[in-house]
């Protein structure tokens, strides 16, 4: 079934045909939708029983000048399985994980379908309409320093592997947990256990370390698990749950006007871009696009977006100067050095 609404094309496909349709849309010369910008779920209206789930893929053709198409696939809530198209669109890895995490759709064939935003033991899927809006008790699991020579499981990517996280776990360096004097942490889940087993069998000196989120280069929003071979980072796994702010769930019980303030918080350096995209979508949904004077509103929006873009770039350049050591204190000391040697207050051109 093909649906055209508000000038946008949506193709409904049976789930068993999705992999073939995705490859055709990507590879067929007259089509050439090379980019899949994400997969989301179309929520049913609040209060209705959740009989089926809908996954929506957003495709973009660069070859044909930015043409767009949506592919929608449905599955029963009692059997929430849809084939993964990561093999066709590799960048969909995180998008499918997020859709599973937030809505509960299982993408068969995905290489590592685990939660990406919520903790691994989080009950339910928060963005479903049958999930409560508030009143969720917060679980404080506590933070205790493990006893000496005790290995504590730290799961990031996948299902718990209790056997590898228990006492006597073998580490990438070939030693056992009891060989260490201080507290240790064993990273498990996903394919990390396979990685450790491979390193152990090859007698390689691999080290798996935790970086962030409280690290100067991650700014509190990102956690990285690094695999090191000497001083070379050979593999990185990202935990991005620290970025999630629950904006979508909060918007479920706000008016569309109140939703603008949430978009502001999506990017505190260039908020106008997020607000403009949100307002354009709301105007289209309300059917008032043709009643808005495009010349005045578009000019003001573009002007404000450019101003915030410039301010964002200035912040980036300032951080780069600070990171390189070329901050004001350095400039002042260079200027003083020139003044002292020449007996003049005139600055050297090399000092800016």
């Amino acid at each position: 079934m093909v649906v055209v609404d508000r000038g946008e094309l949506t193709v409904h496909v049976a789930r068993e045909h999705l992999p073939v349709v995705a490859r055709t849309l990507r590879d067929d010369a007259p089509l050439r939708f090379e980019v899949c910008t994400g997969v989301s779920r179309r929520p049913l209206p609040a209060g209705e029983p959740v009989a089926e789930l809908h996954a929506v893929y957003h495709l973009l053709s660069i070859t044909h000048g930015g043409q767009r198409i949506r592919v929608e696939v449905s599955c029963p809530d009692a059997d929430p399985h849809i084939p993964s198209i990561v093999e066709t669109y590799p960048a969909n890895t995180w998008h499918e994980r997020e859709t599973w995490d937030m809505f509960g759709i299982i993408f068969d064939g995905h290489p590592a379908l685990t939660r990406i935003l919520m903790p691994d033991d989080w009950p339910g899927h928060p963005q479903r309409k049958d999930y409560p809006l508030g009143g969720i008790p917060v679980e404080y699991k506590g933070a205790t320093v493990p006893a000496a020579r005790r290995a504590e499981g730290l799961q990031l990517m996948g299902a718990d592997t209790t056997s590898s996280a228990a006492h006597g776990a073998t580490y990438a360096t070939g030693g056992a947990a009891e060989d260490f004097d201080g507290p240790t942490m064993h990273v498990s889940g996903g394919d990390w256990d396979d990685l450790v087993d491979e390193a152990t069998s090859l007698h390689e000196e691999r080290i798996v370390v935790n970086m962030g989120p409280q690290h100067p280069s991650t700014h509190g929003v990102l956690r990285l698990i690094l695999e090191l071979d000497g001083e070379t980072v050979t593999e990185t796994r990202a935990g991005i749950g620290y970025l999630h702010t629950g904006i979508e769930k909060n918007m479920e019980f706000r008016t569309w006007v109140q939703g603008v303030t949430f978009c502001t918080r999506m990017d505190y350096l260039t908020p106008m871009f997020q607000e403009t995209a949100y307002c354009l979508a709301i105007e289209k949904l309300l059917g008032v696009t043709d009643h808005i004077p495009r010349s005045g509103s578009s000019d003001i929006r573009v002007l404000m977006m450019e101003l915030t873009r410039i301010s964002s770039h200035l912040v980036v350049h300032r951080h780069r100067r600070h990171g390189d050591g070329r901050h004001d204190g350095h400039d002042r000391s260079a200027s003083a050095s020139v003044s002292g040697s020449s007996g003049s207050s005139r600055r050297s051109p090399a000092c800016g």
Side-chain angles (χ1 to χ4, degrees):
M1 181 175 64
V2 178
V3 176
V4 179
D5 182 53
R6 301 180 180 90
E8 299 179 1
L9 178 66
T10 302
V11 179
H12 292 256
V13 177
R15 58 178 172 175
E16 59 270 19
H17 300 313
L18 176 61
V20 175
V21 171
R23 284 193 297 270
T24 302
L25 289 172
R26 185 196 65 180
D27 299 336
D28 193 77
L31 300 173
R32 291 296 290 155
F33 287 94
E34 306 99 327
V35 180
C36 181
T37 60
V39 55
S40 58
R41 175 184 171 258
R42 180 172 66 84
L44 298 177
E48 291 189 9
V50 183
E52 61 181 14
L53 306 173
H54 292 250
V56 183
Y57 298 84
H58 308 270
L59 305 181
L60 169 68
S61 174
I62 299 175
T63 300
H64 299 296
Q67 294 291 325
R68 295 178 182 272
I69 189 175
R70 281 196 296 262
V71 176
E72 185 167 336
V73 184
S74 63
C75 61
D77 186 37
D79 182 27
H81 290 264
I82 291 176
S84 171
I85 60 171
V86 169
E87 183 176 348
T88 303
Y89 295 104
N92 248 28
T93 304
W94 280 18
H95 297 298
E96 291 185 356
R97 286 178 58 193
E98 182 180 4
T99 303
W100 145 249
D101 193 0
M102 296 288 105
F103 300 113
I105 297 177
I106 301 172
F107 294 92
D108 296 328
H110 189 284
L113 191 63
T114 58
R115 290 192 183 272
I116 190 171
L117 297 173
M118 307 302 291
D120 284 337
D121 57 351
W122 188 268
H125 305 280
Q127 285 185 23
R128 290 172 60 115
K129 293 297 184 180
D130 54 1
Y131 196 88
L133 291 175
I136 305 299
V138 179
E139 298 183 14
Y140 293 96
K141 299 183 182 299
T144 59
V145 178
R149 296 184 290 118
R150 176 180 177 83
E152 181 174 313
L154 180 62
Q155 184 175 320
L156 177 68
M157 299 296 290
D160 187 18
T161 50
T162 55
S163 59
S164 61
H167 292 289
T170 301
Y171 286 76
T173 54
E178 287 77 9
D179 297 335
F180 296 88
D181 294 332
T184 60
M185 192 71 73
H186 177 66
V187 180
S188 64
D191 59 354
W192 277 107
D193 294 327
D194 296 335
L195 183 151
V196 172
D197 292 339
E198 178 187 359
T200 303
S201 63
L202 297 175
H203 304 288
E204 294 182 354
E205 292 293 331
R206 295 192 206 175
I207 302 175
V208 179
V209 299
N210 178 67
M211 174 181 171
Q214 292 78 26
H215 188 281
S217 65
T218 61
H219 299 282
V221 298
L222 179 68
R223 178 188 177 193
L224 301 174
I225 299 295
L226 307 178
E227 179 196 342
L228 305 178
D229 184 1
E231 296 182 355
T232 302
V233 178
T234 57
E235 190 165 354
T236 304
R237 300 297 176 88
I240 63 171
Y242 303 90
L243 287 167
H244 195 254
T245 56
I247 289 176
E248 302 94 332
K249 202 65 180 178
N250 277 299
M251 284 190 176
E252 287 187 15
F253 57 97
R254 299 290 198 277
T255 65
W256 67 268
V257 176
Q258 293 172 323
V260 179
T261 60
F262 286 100
C263 293
T264 305
R265 290 158 175 79
M266 291 180 182
D267 186 350
Y268 43 81
L269 292 180
T270 56
M272 282 302 301
F273 285 85
Q274 324 303 325
E275 296 172 13
T276 299
Y278 173 79
C279 290
L280 289 173
I282 293 298
E283 291 165 6
K284 181 179 286 189
L285 290 172
L286 292 175
V288 299
T289 301
D290 296 334
H291 303 287
I292 298 176
R294 308 312 299 175
S295 58
S297 63
S298 296
D299 292 345
I300 294 174
R301 284 170 171 170
V302 171
L303 176 62
M304 294 304 299
M305 284 191 292
E306 285 300 292
L307 288 174
T308 56
R309 182 181 64 84
I310 293 172
S311 68
S312 175
H313 287 192
L314 290 175
V315 172
V316 171
H317 289 306
R318 175 59 184 169
H319 274 274
R320 290 181 62 184
R321 284 174 57 86
H322 182 75
D324 293 342
R326 294 181 282 113
H327 47 75
D328 291 341
H330 178 81
D331 292 341
R332 285 196 297 269
S333 63
S335 176
S337 176
V338 172
S339 300
S341 60
S342 64
S344 170
S345 61
R346 183 171 59 86
R347 298 184 66 187
S348 167
C351 299

